[in-house]
Amino acid sequence: MPQEALVGQQGDLFPPDMNPFEGVDFSGLERSLRRPRTLVSVLLSGLVTAMTLLALIPLFSVVWMLVWRGGRKLSLALLTQLPPAPLEQGGGVGNAIVGTLIIILLATAISIPIGVLSAVFLTQAKTGNRLADVVRFAAKVLTGFPSILAGVFAYGAVVLVTGGFSAIAGAVAVSILMLPTIMLTAEDALRMVPWRMQEAAIGMGATPAQTAWMVLLPTAIPGILTGIMLAVARGAGETAPLLFTALFSNYWPISRGHLHLMRPTPSLAVLIYNFAGMPFENQVELAWAAALVLVLLVLVANLVGQSLSRRQVRE
Amino acid sequence: MVSPQVIDEGFVVTDAAQVSRPPSPFQKVADKAFRRLCWGLAWLSVLLVAFIVLRIATSAVPAVRQYGLDFLSGTTWDPNKEQYGILPEIWGTLYSSLLALLIGTAFGVAAAIFLSEGYLGQFVFQTLKVWNLQLHPLWGKLPDQMEGLLKNLIELLAAIPSVVYGLWGLFVVIPLIRPACNWLHMKMGWFALFGTDLSGPGMLPAVMVLSIMILPTITAISRDALVSVPSKIRMAAYGLGATRWEAILAVILPTAARGVFGGVVLAFGRALGETMALAMLVGNANKISLSLFSPANTLAALLANSFPEAHPKEIGVLMYAALVLLGITLLVNVIGSAILQRASAGLEGGK
């Protein structure tokens, strides 16, 4: 009986014959599931919870399948041997792992200087600089760029020009997709460098280049590396741009001490795509094992990136 | 702590000229060169985008001249007869992306609300309260940690490469949904959506996997928009006696609507350009069908499947298809980021 309780508490303020809460229906303020608005609220909360849990099922399913089907094949042979011919047993994905690393390394080497130094330009440019706005717009366009079109471009610009499928062509295609991530995260990281540090450098008589090299970049390096690792994680998993630029090969990309950059190069992603469509049990098993290796590679890159981002100096 | 005397000593022994001196000629040149380099590389990234668009466009010119607009409305793809048309691919691209967007938005926004309204944190807190552990130095942090874990798990969905999703769709999703789909076709075959049976790859598995792939984008951007709704507005709604969902539906979602919408448009752009999962799951059939179970094709999957073994004449035609895909995705992405920019500008003004 809230009504009487309230009157009883404030009996000193109001005379007993005067009830200020007269005619107020306090039962209407109680939370009751019989009221449609409360019921709707509770039901919708339940619905949202169920949908969120449902959305996580694919993640657990993918991880479970990778561990269960891919984990069975995981062995030293998987990491060191060449892919088997159809109907052959055993074999591994060693050349694809090496090929993926070569392509990613080349792509990172292309996209780091462009991305990081463009970011330096973006942070040093005065507000309202036309070129800076255009560069940012270009980076945003590249963020949403379909990966297959990067492959189409590299095919037209590298494969047709050099006359063959190669690791270089694949790296060019992948670097286009890595560039915006590197550039935009590097810009954020550089902007987080405390302005006081830059002012101190300028006050000491440092030139803008010295400020950038000795203060800005070293301070922002954890953030920049985060962007690079995230870009590597994205680039390693890309298949579409490699399909008709690096193509695939059943041989080692390095043989007798020579690195064959101008030949078709195998990669984990393309290997998964090719083997998934084959009617042979052994190849399908290898595709799952390769998927496990690829996901582990991507996860490690992601985790390294995230742990680096915690070291970023913030104002 | 360094005592002041030490600093004083340091300055006494040092000659003023050694602490600071004007840049040497070499440093001046190096400075200029470095600035020019940064400027040049910034230009390079702009030119790269222009060069990509130009390169694809110029390679497509001969095919555009030869086939003109009939290319967009043609329905046959026959390299032997040199007849090319991409209407089925355009239809498949839009149909699969829109369906995936429908599912992805429903689940993505639901997950964003779940994350931004602190449901999980509250649940963990209440559970801890049963054992009176909610203020414990170790267990008391659990609600926040669980929220962070859930957010990372949903972001992890985006980290899995699309070819792995394709593999998963091929060996898990298709066998799983096939009996249900064929039962639906048998019982309700008159309904256009169930007009054919699922005989392997098809539209529905492709759409399901695609919606899983775009969900993290929608959730991440929507959650940012929902979290940045000023808490004054939220508190005002609760203060007026609104239930949680009255506040969400009438106040919080409308305030964050632009941000959510921008995220949805960006996810649409991603769905349009997604290649591998679709190339593996959609069936690569040159068909226009409303049925969810019929195989179909998309522009990106067409490029992925035809490019590796295309002969030179077909390359030009494929470049034309790439140009169409480029046009559609560029348009969608520019609209999406414009909406997002206006959304964040609008919220900053309202604070």
Side-chain angles (χ1 to χ4, degrees), chain B residues 198-211:
Chain B
L198 186 75
S199 55
M203 191 55 107
L204 185 66
V207 164
M208 284 173 73
V209 171
L210 195 56
S211 58

Side-chain angles (χ1 to χ4, degrees), chain B residues 35 37 86 103 142 194 213 260 314:
Chain B
R35 281 206 246 176
L37 183 69
I86 54 165
I103 304 173
L142 203 62
F194 309 134
M213 297 178 68
V260 175
E314 212 181 338

Side-chain angles (χ1 to χ4, degrees), chain A residues 111-126 129 131-133 135-136 139 178-193 198 212 216-217 220-221 223-225 227-228, chain B residues 34-35 37-46:
Chain A
S111 48
I112 284 180
I114 305 181
V116 174
L117 292 185
S118 302
V120 171
F121 172 81
L122 287 181
T123 39
Q124 297 296 306
K126 295 186 187 81
N129 186 320
L131 177 59
D133 289 341
V135 172
R136 263 183 223 116
M178 291 171 70
L179 182 64
T181 315
I182 294 184
M183 195 194 290
L184 295 176
T185 13
E187 196 201 342
D188 280 347
L190 288 167
R191 280 197 190 283
M192 271 181 201
V193 174
Q198 281 187 68
L216 264 180
L217 287 172
I221 204 83
I224 295 173
L225 283 176
I228 292 171
Chain B
F34 179 74
R35 281 206 246 176
L37 183 69
C38 287
W39 181 82
L41 288 175
W43 262 112
L44 188 65
S45 50
V46 176

Side-chain angles (χ1 to χ4, degrees), chain A residues 139-184:
Chain A
K140 276 209 180 119
V141 167
L142 282 182
T143 329
F145 202 65
S147 53
I148 186 92
L149 290 183
V152 171
F153 164 73
Y155 182 87
V158 184
V159 174
L160 289 185
V161 172
T162 58
F165 302 104
S166 63
I168 304 270
V172 167
V174 172
S175 69
I176 292 171
L177 299 169
M178 291 171 70
L179 182 64
T181 315
I182 294 184
M183 195 194 290
L184 295 176

Side-chain angles (χ1 to χ4, degrees), chain A residues 37-38 40-41 44-45 48-49 51-52 54-56 58-62 65-66 69 113-114 117-118 120-121 131 134-135 137-138 140-142 144-149 152-153 155-157 160-161 165 176 179 183 204-205 207-210 212-213 217 237 239-240 243-244 247 269 272-273 276-277 284 287-288 291 294-295 298-299 302 306, chain B residues 19-21 23 27 30-31 34-35 37-39 41-46 48-49 51-52 55-56 106-107 110-111 113-114 119 150 152-157 159-165 167-168 170-172 212 215 241-246 249 269 273 275-276 279-280 300 303-305 307-308 315 319 322 325-326 329-330 333-334 337 341:
Chain A
R37 45 195 289 254
T38 327
V40 163
S41 190
L44 282 177
S45 293
V48 163
T49 312
M51 284 172 92
T52 310
L54 210 60
L56 286 173
L59 179 69
F60 291 120
S61 172
V62 169
M65 285 302 284
L66 283 176
R69 291 199 69 168
I114 305 181
L117 292 185
S118 302
V120 171
F121 172 81
L131 177 59
V134 177
V135 172
F137 178 75
K140 276 209 180 119
V141 167
L142 282 182
F145 202 65
S147 53
I148 186 92
L149 290 183
V152 171
F153 164 73
Y155 182 87
L160 289 185
V161 172
F165 302 104
I176 292 171
L179 182 64
M183 195 194 290
M204 295 287 282
T207 61
Q210 284 172 326
W213 269 114
L217 287 172
T239 319
L243 275 179
F244 39 89
L247 214 67
I272 297 170
Y273 176 65
V284 173
W288 278 104
L294 183 63
V295 168
V298 170
L299 269 190
N302 261 319
Q306 278 185 9
Chain B
V19 175
S20 123
R21 56 188 141 73
Q27 283 169 338
D31 178 49
F34 179 74
R35 281 206 246 176
L37 183 69
C38 287
W39 181 82
L41 288 175
W43 262 112
L44 188 65
S45 50
V46 176
L48 182 69
V49 175
F51 184 53
I52 292 171
R55 181 80 219 186
I56 294 178
F107 281 88
I113 292 175
F114 187 83
Y119 275 105
L150 184 64
N152 284 341
L153 277 181
I154 288 183
E155 274 171 16
L156 203 62
L157 276 173
I160 293 173
S162 65
V163 69
V164 176
Y165 275 121
L167 188 69
W168 176 73
L170 218 48
F171 290 97
V172 179
I212 295 166
L215 183 135
T243 61
R244 195 205 290 256
W245 273 87
E246 281 169 349
L249 291 177
T275 314
M276 291 325 292
M280 291 167 91
L303 290 172
N305 284 315
F307 236 106
I315 294 282
M319 287 288 186
L325 178 62
L326 180 70
T329 45
L330 271 190
N333 279 321
V334 168
S337 46
Q341 209 147 30

